[in-house]
Amino acid sequence: MVLEKAILNRALSQAFDIPVSVTYWNGKTENYGEGLPQAHIKLNKKFSLTDFMGMPTLFLAEAYMNEDIDIEGDVQALITSAYRKSGSFLTDQSGFKGLSKLMHGHSQKETREDIHSHYDIGNDFYKKWLDPTMTYSCAYFETEDTSLEDAQKAKVHHILDKLNSQTGGRLLDIGCGWGTLIITAAQEYGLEAVGVTLSEEQYYFVRKRVEDLGLEDKIKVYLTDYRDLKDGDFDYITSVGMFEHVGKENLGMYFQKVYDYLKPNGRALIHGITGQHYGAGVDPFIEKYIFPGGYIPNVAEQVNHIMTAGLQLDDLEPLRRHYQKTLEIWDANYKKVFDEVVKDMGKPFARMWDLYLLACAASFEAGNIDVIQFLVTKGASGQNLPLTRDYMYKN
């Protein structure tokens, strides 16, 4: 016990680059780092170092969910500090490899189950803390003071403007969420839009929105795997926050399907979480409780898949700071309804989601992960696009 305490004490002394205080299970408090502690960690029970060293993020997250650990102060700053100090230790966890969904693949049945476990928690849950557009992906803040709702609308416009989409064209949105992009495409850009999703909650929500707006002749929505779509060729394809769900072994197929669905010289805007260095891979906490089957590729992987599929790059834009800000606003919204979530879903679930939002914001803040928009063409790069990037901002 003395040895374990000594090892844990040493690990904590090296875990952060900001001053923190830790109160151990025996009531003793230690300060680490110089200056006034920015966070206070309370270890409410004795922990197994074997579990901690094997899968640290899963172990710590479960302890936090179950109130075996409490944190007072700036939780995001604490997690960001840990990522800055020992990012590879927290993201490359060999003890988790045997449990990963990477081991059983991503069949269509498994993919459907994975999507259902996250997105079909219930629309009422997401309505509590998302903005009125019901957009659950990185927003695009044109100024520091832009509201979340305006930033989500700006993101959709930024995507459709990047495509240089022309009235009368056909657009496919792979993973259409709650429908804001395809509705905007039809209403404001004069496009015929098709959306696909595997989430039943999203599917019925979008269909009702389309019917209420009288857009049935301009928008079609399918509850189907994107690989099974039979609805013809498209001038444009969008996919926002989707490829993170397909699995490492299916990324090549994903981009090949983008190529197959595009008309010659058609364009696609692929937007998703991507590592700038080694990539985040699979995190055991996220895998087990949030996004089963998820995988975060790095830029090199994505560009290789784009090339292999026969697509060419037109533009690549990182939006890391935008997703950090999006998550911070989501978490602020979530904290306002925390007690409601506790009542509906239980306290461990409520604490889990709060931690998830904060940990993601911290990961973007530390630069572990990024959001990249890949603009690609089925044909020679820049085909039918203006000579400069000015067109992307004309609206």
Side-chain angles (χ1 to χ4, degrees):
M1 181 174 179
V2 174
L3 178 60
E4 285 197 347
K5 172 71 182 302
I7 295 173
L8 182 58
N9 186 70
R10 181 178 179 182
L12 286 169
S13 69
Q14 299 174 353
F16 309 104
D17 62 4
I18 62 172
V20 301
S21 65
V22 179
T23 298
Y24 289 89
W25 51 86
N26 61 6
K28 184 177 180 180
T29 298
E30 300 277 359
N31 291 328
Y32 301 100
E34 297 182 3
L36 187 68
Q38 296 183 29
H40 179 202
I41 304 169
K42 297 174 67 177
L43 306 179
N44 298 324
K45 63 178 288 187
K46 183 178 179 295
F47 298 114
S48 164
L49 284 178
T50 301
D51 290 341
F52 175 78
M53 296 306 294
M55 291 182 284
T57 60
L58 178 60
F59 170 75
L60 292 171
E62 289 182 333
Y64 182 82
M65 289 164 55
N66 297 322
E67 299 183 81
D68 294 330
I69 290 177
D70 283 311
I71 302 173
E72 299 171 353
D74 193 333
V75 178
Q76 182 178 328
L78 181 71
I79 301 173
T80 302
S81 172
Y83 278 131
R84 283 196 303 258
K85 192 70 181 289
S86 52
S88 61
F89 167 66
L90 292 173
T91 56
D92 182 18
Q93 300 177 79
S94 58
F96 181 64
K97 289 180 179 177
L99 301 178
S100 171
K101 286 248 181 175
L102 292 172
M103 300 299 291
H104 77 237
H106 286 75
S107 69
Q108 292 191 11
K109 179 176 181 293
E110 290 162 338
T111 299
R112 187 180 298 273
E113 291 171 351
D114 293 341
I115 295 299
H116 175 76
S117 71
H118 185 84
Y119 292 98
D120 290 341
I121 295 172
N123 290 337
D124 288 343
F125 170 71
Y126 289 102
K127 284 179 182 177
K128 290 180 187 297
W129 50 275
L130 293 178
D131 72 282
T133 70
M134 287 291 285
T135 305
Y136 184 37
S137 56
C138 174
Y140 184 73
F141 294 89
E142 295 175 314
T143 71
E144 291 290 345
D145 298 327
T146 301
S147 71
L148 178 60
E149 181 178 0
D150 287 343
Q152 292 292 12
K153 292 176 180 177
K155 185 265 299 294
V156 170
H157 289 139
H158 191 48
I159 288 172
L160 294 171
D161 289 343
K162 271 189 176 184
L163 287 168
N164 198 35
S165 53
Q166 304 298 311
T167 299
R170 296 192 74 225
L171 168 75
L172 168 65
D173 189 21
I174 301 175
C176 65
W178 284 278
T180 296
L181 191 150
I182 55 176
I183 289 171
T184 303
Q187 284 186 320
E188 300 184 31
Y189 289 77
L191 300 178
E192 176 188 339
V194 174
V196 296
T197 180
L198 284 174
S199 165
E200 293 183 9
E201 292 270 339
Q202 291 180 341
Y203 170 70
Y204 291 111
F205 184 93
V206 178
R207 281 194 58 180
K208 187 175 188 309
R209 285 184 74 182
V210 170
E211 291 170 3
D212 290 347
L213 292 167
L215 295 171
E216 297 97 322
D217 60 331
K218 296 183 178 180
I219 298 174
K220 304 298 179 187
V221 186
Y222 298 107
L223 181 63
T224 187
D225 192 292
Y226 75 97
R227 291 166 284 191
D228 293 335
L229 190 65
K230 308 296 183 185
D231 196 19
D233 294 335
F234 295 89
D235 301 286
Y236 315 107
I237 292 177
T238 54
S239 188
V240 181
M242 165 63 187
F243 65 64
E244 301 96 313
H245 297 294
V246 306
K248 182 179 176 66
E249 70 274 28
N250 286 334
L251 280 168
M253 179 192 302
Y254 168 83
F255 280 100
Q256 189 60 57
K257 282 295 184 181
V258 170
Y259 178 92
D260 293 342
Y261 290 144
L262 280 174
K263 295 178 181 179
N265 296 319
R267 286 184 294 281
L269 191 290
I270 311 300
H271 166 125
I273 301 173
T274 312
Q276 283 271 25
H277 293 288
Y278 46 80
V282 178
D283 177 89
F285 165 56
I286 301 295
E287 165 74 22
K288 183 174 180 179
Y289 290 101
I290 308 296
F291 286 115
Y295 173 77
I296 305 301
N298 62 38
V299 175
E301 286 179 84
Q302 296 296 65
V303 172
N304 182 63
H305 290 307
I306 288 168
M307 294 168 57
T308 301
L311 298 161
Q312 292 198 16
L313 274 170
D314 288 308
D315 190 77
L316 185 155
E317 181 179 11
L319 296 174
R320 179 188 64 82
R321 292 172 60 197
H322 295 265
Y323 214 165
Q324 178 189 337
K325 189 174 180 67
T326 302
L327 283 154
E328 289 169 351
I329 296 174
W330 282 346
D331 189 66
N333 292 344
Y334 183 82
K335 282 182 167 57
K336 294 175 184 177
V337 299
F338 182 85
D339 290 341
E340 294 179 35
V341 178
V342 171
K343 182 179 178 181
D344 294 341
M345 313 291 283
K347 198 166 186 180
F349 178 94
R351 285 172 67 93
M352 173 186 77
W353 267 83
D354 187 31
L355 180 64
Y356 155 63
L357 293 171
L358 287 168
C360 288
S363 196
F364 282 107
E365 183 177 2
N368 281 357
I369 51 179
D370 208 326
V371 172
I372 306 291
Q373 288 190 347
F374 300 89
L375 180 64
V376 299
T377 294
K378 182 178 179 177
S381 66
Q383 191 71 24
N384 300 324
L385 286 175
L387 287 174
T388 74
R389 301 176 81 253
D390 292 347
Y391 80 94
M392 297 181 184
Y393 308 100
K394 66 182 179 183
N395 294 325

